Each structure stands twice: as C-alpha cells, then as structure tokens.
Amino acid sequence: MRFAQLSVAAALVISCVFPALAQQSAPPGYKLKPTLSYENVSKDPDGIWPDDELMPSGMRNEYPDISTARISLPSGEWILSVQNGGCSMQSDCPYILALKKNGQITRMSRGYLGGNGTATLSMDYSKLFVDTFSGVETQPVGPTE
C-alpha cells in the first residue's frame, strides 16, 4: 500500500516537473503578438493569405478571422498574420510571416502559432520562434513562395 502511494506521488511529481523543464523560451528578438484585425474574411485586405486558403468552415460556414502583428524595422515592415480557420485541436492556428518592402509583400515563413501565442523574430531576421501547444518551435525565415 505504501509503495503504491509513493508510486503515485512520484508519477505526479514527474508529470509536473518535466513539462516545465521542456518548455523553452524564445531568445531575444522582435516580439510579435497578433490581435484581431479582420472578421469573417473571404479576401485578406493585407494580401498575405491567398484567397483559396480562406475557406468557410464550422457549423455556420463562416470565413476565418485574421489577427495580425506588425513591426517596422530597417529591413521593411514585418507582418505576422494568423487565421482561425484550420486550427488544430490544440488551438495551434496557421500563420504566415510576411515582409512588406516598397509596397511588395514576400511570404517569409509558414507554420502554426498557439492560440493567444506570440512569435519572436530573431535579431538577424533568419529565424522565427513560435509559441505552440507543445512549446517554442524554431522556423526558418526566407521566401516561401
């Protein structure tokens, strides 16, 4: 009986401690925290999402909402655009990181961002550190399409 209690206690400690140790934090860089910008859109006003990636879904068959974060840097305006369509069961939603320079938009990274998460663009613009359900993921930054 005593051994069973110790086993349960040890399992609880391990399950609480190891996920905390596994969680990473992003290194210093440019923080991007998206906020709701557009609701129920079939066409992205910023021109970041292709129209065929903004499909209606759900019981009401609504188009996705788009949240964005923007930062102006010497390299241009960086825009992190996240849509709520196509989110995983863990609430990781698709994002596109784009660079707008001289009026032209270049998609620089794609992936999934955790609900209410942040992303951090590295100081040299080569990596994006993205909060997801399973922790911080590192994505390369460079033209994607």
Side-chain angles (χ1 to χ4, degrees), residues 33 82 87 90-93 112-118 131-133:
K33 174 80 173 153
V82 181
C87 299
Q90 291 83 17
S91 297
D92 287 343
C93 298
Y112 288 86
L113 177 72
N116 295 321
T118 60
D131 291 341
T132 66
F133 175 77

Side-chain angles (χ1 to χ4, degrees), residues 103-115:
Q104 183 177 358
I105 292 179
T106 304
R107 294 178 189 99
M108 301 295 281
S109 182
R110 284 179 169 260
Y112 288 86
L113 177 72

Side-chain angles (χ1 to χ4, degrees), residues 48-121:
I48 295 170
W49 291 97
D51 293 347
D52 64 349
E53 292 186 39
L54 297 173
M55 303 308 259
S57 64
M59 293 189 68
R60 293 187 190 164
N61 211 25
E62 291 181 341
Y63 285 95
D65 297 339
I66 296 176
S67 297
T68 57
R70 300 168 187 272
I71 187 167
S72 293
L73 299 170
S75 57
E77 180 183 24
W78 291 87
I79 305 168
L80 180 66
S81 182
V82 181
Q83 65 157 300
N84 73 349
C87 299
S88 72
M89 291 184 71
Q90 291 83 17
S91 297
D92 287 343
C93 298
Y95 78 81
I96 296 177
L97 176 68
L99 175 61
K100 185 175 182 180
K101 189 171 188 173
N102 300 325
Q104 183 177 358
I105 292 179
T106 304
R107 294 178 189 99
M108 301 295 281
S109 182
R110 284 179 169 260
Y112 288 86
L113 177 72
N116 295 321
T118 60
T120 303
L121 180 62

Side-chain angles (χ1 to χ4, degrees), residues 5 12-13 19 29 32 41 44 56-57 65 71 74-75 101 116 122 125:
Q5 290 173 336
L12 286 172
V13 167
L32 298 161
V41 295
D44 181 2
S57 64
D65 297 339
I71 187 167
S75 57
K101 189 171 188 173
N116 295 321
S122 64
Y125 317 129

